[in-house]
Amino acid sequence: MKKALIIGGAGFIGHRLAKHLSGQKGYAVTIIDNFFRGKMDDELKALEKGGVKIVKADCTDAKAFSKLGEHYDCVYMLAAVVGVGYTEKMPAEIIRINTLLMVNLLEWLKTAQCRKVIFSSTSECYAGSVEKFGYKVPTDEEVPLCIADIRHPRFTYAATKMLGESGLFAYAKTYGFIPVVARYHNVYGERMGFKHVIPQVVKRFYEKENPFSIIGGEQTRSFCYVDDAVQGTVLAMESSKGDGEIFHIGAEEEITVDELVRFIGSVVGFKGRYSSEKAPSGSVSRRCPDISKARKLLGYRPAVGWKEGVKKTVQWYWDFFQKGGKGFE
């Protein structure tokens, strides 16, 4: 049996990853999470009943790792506080929490017997390279990492992810585990929380905003459905061709925010008017990953088109709001 540890396994991508791995033969899965975003819901209880070990602990406390044992074949580091809303509301906590999470993990890895570790990073790490220096889009993994304004709270999350990438490779070289970085690009799907554009837009439609303001409609993004992100992450872990590499995990279809919002409006039957509003400061005008490296080395093939995935996500949130919006945060 392969022993897999998912740090942040109760979160959006972590939960979906745990569900995937626990459904495969030959995996013994452990989740550790502090449930910052909520509590044990029915889906997590189902995972536990199915054999996934769930450890409730706060990994900003180094003692949390003593609850895990020391041998794992696969470690997925997905724990972080993420979301533009959080960076604006509590930037100091973003720095404190995400830095402690990574430092404590790295210190544990000095003595733990872990074969391979994937660190979840973000396209935000190179936002400044695209916005300020016109780096090419779609963007590959060789892009220089750059923050546009170190004083802006929006970039606190990216700063912690840069530290995490550097720390992972430095500790791996010194202490002998295999490192991989997965830079996620606008991963979305059911159960993703409320600090991201799609659930926020659905909530505004549900609350009958009219005229409906499209914020930063001219900006472009490529959206990656969560199951595709999980596919890429697992491929990076299981393939030796991913050892020591950085991969952009996302989808290549670039769309405007205006197109996204209007499609969501059509899904929920919006018949009102739209208006336009400027994007908030710090928001990049274009973002789309070049995933040819992951395609070539890992066989990564995103399978869910953005309209299909967004429709499923919108319907999940709409049903959630209609049921009173309880039991999930």
Side-chain angles (χ1 to χ4, degrees):
M1 293 284 284
K2 286 185 179 179
K3 292 184 65 179
L5 171 64
I6 306 173
I7 304 168
F12 169 47
I13 299 175
H15 163 264
R16 205 67 156 239
L17 175 62
K19 189 174 181 179
H20 172 82
L21 291 179
S22 64
Q24 307 297 307
K25 291 183 178 180
Y27 275 97
V29 181
T30 298
I31 285 173
I32 185 168
D33 204 293
N34 70 341
F35 295 90
F36 167 81
R37 215 183 64 181
K39 55 187 178 180
M40 282 281 288
D41 61 13
D42 290 342
E43 292 205 30
L44 286 169
K45 290 175 182 176
L47 284 179
E48 189 173 41
K49 186 177 289 187
V52 173
K53 181 180 179 181
I54 298 179
V55 178
K56 184 175 182 180
D58 183 354
C59 289
T60 63
D61 181 352
K63 295 178 182 177
F65 287 90
S66 65
K67 300 180 179 182
L68 295 175
E70 294 187 341
H71 170 74
Y72 289 93
D73 301 288
C74 316
V75 177
Y76 296 88
M77 176 48 173
L78 303 179
V81 180
V82 58
V84 174
Y86 284 128
T87 64
E88 294 171 345
K89 182 180 178 181
M90 52 181 211
E93 280 294 277
I94 294 284
I95 294 290
R96 184 188 71 84
I97 293 171
N98 290 356
T99 301
L100 282 173
L101 287 170
M102 195 61 192
V103 168
N104 289 341
L105 168 66
L106 292 174
E107 287 295 292
W108 176 68
L109 287 169
K110 287 166 65 173
T111 57
Q113 298 175 26
C114 298
R115 186 185 67 85
K116 192 169 180 177
V117 182
I118 283 186
F119 174 65
S120 63
S121 189
T122 175
S123 57
E124 292 283 342
C125 287
Y126 65 78
S129 301
V130 172
E131 198 69 10
K132 295 294 184 180
F133 302 109
Y135 205 87
K136 63 181 180 180
V137 180
T139 309
D140 64 26
E141 292 85 352
E142 299 305 311
V143 59
L145 304 190
C146 174
I147 291 174
D149 183 356
I150 199 67
R151 298 163 297 184
H152 199 300
R154 167 70 183 261
F155 301 115
T156 51
Y157 174 65
T160 64
K161 289 299 184 178
M162 287 185 186
L163 174 64
E165 289 194 23
S166 178
L168 182 77
F169 287 116
Y171 271 65
K173 184 176 182 179
T174 303
Y175 297 105
F177 59 86
I178 300 169
V180 183
V181 167
R183 285 193 196 136
Y184 294 132
H185 290 67
N186 291 91
V187 180
Y188 72 95
E190 308 89 331
R191 201 181 173 277
M192 69 184 298
F194 298 96
K195 301 298 182 181
H196 307 274
V197 61
I198 294 173
Q200 288 176 344
V201 167
V202 176
K203 189 172 188 290
R204 288 167 55 208
F205 275 123
Y206 188 80
E207 292 173 346
K208 302 186 186 303
E209 180 180 323
N210 188 17
F212 194 94
S213 180
I214 301 177
I215 304 168
E218 74 286 354
Q219 294 189 339
T220 68
R221 297 290 186 269
S222 62
F223 292 89
C224 179
Y225 187 62
V226 62
D227 288 347
D228 287 332
V230 166
Q231 177 215 151
T233 305
V234 173
L235 286 170
M237 177 63 81
E238 294 186 342
S239 173
S240 61
K241 293 180 180 179
D243 293 359
E245 298 289 347
I246 298 169
F247 292 102
H248 283 182
I249 302 298
E252 291 180 309
E253 188 173 2
E254 188 178 7
I255 64 170
T256 65
V257 172
D258 182 88
E259 188 176 359
L260 171 70
V261 173
R262 289 177 185 270
F263 178 73
I264 294 173
S266 71
V267 172
V268 301
F270 179 68
K271 302 297 183 183
R273 294 189 302 110
Y274 290 100
S275 62
S276 298
E277 186 177 331
K278 288 184 178 180
S281 64
S283 182
V284 298
S285 57
R286 288 186 72 191
R287 180 182 294 142
C288 181
D290 179 344
I291 61 171
S292 57
K293 180 179 177 180
R295 184 186 297 112
K296 180 180 178 180
L297 294 184
L298 306 177
Y300 174 55
R301 299 284 190 279
V304 181
W306 77 267
K307 287 187 176 181
E308 176 189 354
V310 168
K311 186 174 181 180
K312 290 165 63 175
T313 304
V314 169
Q315 290 173 337
W316 188 93
Y317 275 95
W318 197 264
D319 290 344
F320 173 80
F321 291 131
Q322 286 186 322
K323 292 175 183 176
K326 295 181 180 180
F328 171 76
E329 295 181 10

